[in-house]
Amino acid sequence: MTILAIETSCDDSACAIVRDGRTVLANVVSSQIELHNITGGVVPEVAAREHLVNILPTLDRAFEESGCSWDNIDAIAVTSGPGLISSLIIGTETAGFLAYLKGKILIPVNHIVGHLYSAWLGHEEEIAFPILTLTVSGGHNDLILSRGHGQYEILGQSLDDAAGEAFDKVARMLGLGYPGGPAISKIALNGDPEVFQFPRAYMGKSNLNFSFSGLKTAVKTAIQTSGPLHDQIKANIAAGFQKAVVEVLSDKVMRALSKYPEIREVHLVGGVSANLALREAIKFKVGENITFRVPLDFGFCTDNAAMIGAAAYHLYSQDPSLYEGISNIVPNANDWQIAK
Ligand code: KG4
Ligand code: ZN
């Protein structure tokens, strides 16, 4: 089954063509990063207007790259939420109209569920349930237990800022660009993580939720009280901040593993999964007996449409009757219900 997938939940217009949920024939992302760099973050209306301009050219590039024509496409998948409502609408309207025009099946996909399947892309071998997935992005931060396709349980979530959001805000405080994650991890390489001791919010022994707002405030205080911000101080702050985030995230993964010993694989996905320090920490703590996977390509970590196509395939295959007669999709900005 070949699926054309569209993702516009935030600031990237993305189109992909994916075969049988695993083989990526094209994965095109039209980035708006340069535009949002000017404002140091995403302005929703600006993002939506850019989606309007970019979505059809992005779609054309996906067809070109894959060598597919409309005859090869069996279904159209699209992100229905959560995300910025004005951005989501551009994707769902485009997908709905194309499905109507071309007579294709329409499959709505939850953005977080999409991220879960980013770790499946490109793999041919069997992937074993139950799977524990840590999704770490700019807009969301979750610990999810998957017992099968369509059977997802949120074990923990961020109570305030998501990890990527904390990276972005700290980067802004340090005068680094947007997105903050890559900039922080780069300068952290030259820093001493022990100079600044930042707080770790564990919120009790068995709690699986996350909170990064206290850490963010501690970084702000450190910046205000440590004198002129020369490069070495910036690097030390970045290293101390990154270490605190990595420790909390990896420790919460271990807590979930001890609570659910039946888990067979641990997946790390989302924009922050590009962070090498985080990858290493989780891989090391998880050990040899559990399979640890990250997306095979850095382009599958950040928002992309290939993951939406992969999720759509697996959900559709579970029960095709659920998707009969869907002719349009109303996006839901706050759709954290990931059960379907
Ligand atoms: O998944 P994503 O593209 O968008 C959302 O759904 O939010 O994630 C973007 C986030 C940004 O906050 C960015 O700073 C972060 O991923 N990020 C990183 C790294 N690369 C991207 N954070 C830490 N280290 C990185 N290397
Ligand atoms: Zn995302």
Side-chain angles (χ1 to χ4, degrees), residues 11 32-43 46 50 172 176-179:
D11 59 334
Q32 302 180 5
I33 277 186
E34 280 178 22
L35 197 65
H36 300 304
N37 223 332
I38 301 168
T39 43
V42 178
V43 178
V46 175
E50 279 299 293
R172 198 182 323 172
L176 308 170
Y178 173 84

Side-chain angles (χ1 to χ4, degrees), residues 112-127:
I112 316 291
V113 173
H115 273 294
L116 296 183
Y117 287 91
S118 64
W120 292 61
L121 292 166
H123 286 290
E124 281 175 12
E125 72 273 21
E126 194 209 335
I127 294 183

Side-chain angles (χ1 to χ4, degrees), residues 9-12 111 115 136-140 163-168 178-183 185 242 270-276 301-304:
S9 66
C10 187
D11 59 334
D12 292 320
H111 179 79
H115 273 294
V136 265
S137 282
H140 49 88
E165 194 179 352
F167 268 96
D168 293 336
Y178 173 84
S185 54
Q242 179 172 269
V272 186
S273 73
N275 187 286
L276 297 181
C301 295
T302 44
D303 288 348
N304 66 87

